[in-house]
Amino acid sequence: MQVLQVISLLLDYPKVELLDVVPELRTLVRNSGERTALSTAQQEALDDFIVRRTSGNLMDWQSEYDGLFERGRSLSLLLFEHVHGESRDRGQAMVDLMQQYQQAGLEIGVKELPDYIPLYLEFLATQGEDNAREGLAEVAHILAVLAARLEQRESDYAVLFKSLLELAQVEIDLSDVRTQVESEKRDDTPKELDKVWEEEMVTFTGNDATSTCPTAQNRPAEGQRRDQYIPLNLDQLSNVKNAADV
């Protein structure tokens, strides 16, 4: 499901290298309709996002990105931040997800957090369409909340998460999610950010959680794509067997 690679790139920190592959990205989006169940309207919205973002000033885009995803936790691009927060369960969930990556033949650096959404999408893109949809469906509730929060902030990044929800083919009433987030307290204000800095930072396997997030350069190589039959289950990853040789 190559469109997941496109969305992964767009959700990662904007880099100048991205500007060099705009035609390829747009072509992948245009070819993502029938096979991936991405509607024409959503394809157009995704294409508009690419054109608008890559046509503007890169530094402005980077600054806006930092303001959205690096301030506060409500728009964190770390999946387990929204599930486990600061609890110890988060560390075990990351270990389990790392094991699943390894079973699929995906190698990531020791400083890379496995629940970083762009990295997770890169992984799903190698797992065949059925497994990719299942993997998206398992985190659809997180994707829906992020879409609603971005809408509330009038950010066009909501388009990316709506595209992921379409690809997941799950029924989620976004109007209910929008109602839920309306009453949320913003966590990106100076006062709330000061509270965060006062708390102990989460660490994973002895590494600082503030380490640089993985980028599209860490996508799986062709030789790592032992994929099509690996079931995705974030709750029981430790029991997953590598079925790639079936």
Side-chain angles (χ1 to χ4, degrees), residues 4-215:
L4 288 180
Q5 295 178 329
V6 176
I7 299 174
S8 172
L9 280 168
L10 297 174
L11 272 178
D12 202 0
Y13 184 77
K15 300 181 181 67
V16 66
E17 292 81 5
L18 182 64
L19 306 181
D20 296 329
V21 294
V22 170
E24 291 85 347
L25 297 181
R26 298 186 67 191
T27 296
L28 287 172
V29 170
R30 287 194 296 269
N31 294 336
S32 64
E34 184 176 346
R35 292 190 63 192
T36 61
L38 196 61
S39 67
T40 300
Q42 203 60 41
Q43 289 179 59
E44 292 175 353
L46 192 52
D47 185 67
D48 287 345
F49 177 93
I50 295 172
V51 173
R52 181 168 55 254
R53 287 293 181 172
T54 58
S55 299
N57 181 278
L58 179 61
M59 292 186 66
D60 289 343
W61 185 6
Q62 292 170 335
S63 177
E64 182 180 346
Y65 183 95
D66 286 337
L68 282 172
F69 300 116
E70 303 297 337
R71 293 172 62 87
R73 293 169 175 163
S74 63
L75 290 178
S76 172
L77 293 179
L78 299 175
L79 287 169
F80 298 143
E81 180 83 41
H82 303 283
V83 179
H84 302 295
E86 302 295 336
S87 72
R88 293 183 178 180
D89 292 337
R90 182 181 180 187
Q92 184 58 52
M94 288 218 246
V95 170
D96 292 341
L97 185 55
M98 183 75 80
Q99 289 177 350
Q100 189 174 12
Y101 287 168
Q102 291 171 346
Q103 288 173 340
L106 171 63
E107 297 180 3
I108 64 175
V110 295
K111 292 185 178 182
E112 297 161 3
L113 297 177
D115 62 334
Y116 181 56
I117 292 177
L119 179 60
Y120 184 63
L121 296 179
E122 284 285 346
F123 166 65
L124 293 183
T126 71
Q127 297 304 293
E129 292 186 12
D130 290 342
N131 278 332
R133 287 195 182 95
E134 184 178 346
L136 290 173
E138 288 177 343
V139 298
H141 60 294
I142 300 174
L143 303 177
V145 169
L146 289 171
R149 287 172 178 166
L150 287 163
E151 278 185 345
Q152 187 182 52
R153 300 191 189 189
E154 299 182 344
S155 170
D156 58 355
Y157 269 96
V159 168
L160 305 185
F161 290 94
K162 289 179 180 178
S163 296
L164 293 174
L165 288 172
E166 259 199 21
L167 293 170
Q169 296 184 4
V170 294
E171 293 186 7
I172 291 183
D173 189 344
L174 267 179
S175 61
D176 287 343
V177 182
R178 292 183 185 107
T179 300
Q180 170 191 329
V181 303
E182 281 178 1
S183 59
E184 291 179 343
K185 184 179 180 181
R186 290 279 293 260
D187 67 349
D188 59 340
T189 62
K191 180 179 180 180
E192 293 301 317
L193 289 172
D194 285 343
K195 291 181 181 179
V196 173
W197 283 109
E198 292 171 358
E199 298 175 0
E200 182 179 358
M201 298 297 291
V202 175
T203 58
F204 173 57
T205 62
N207 293 309
D208 191 335
T210 61
S211 299
T212 303
C213 289
T215 69

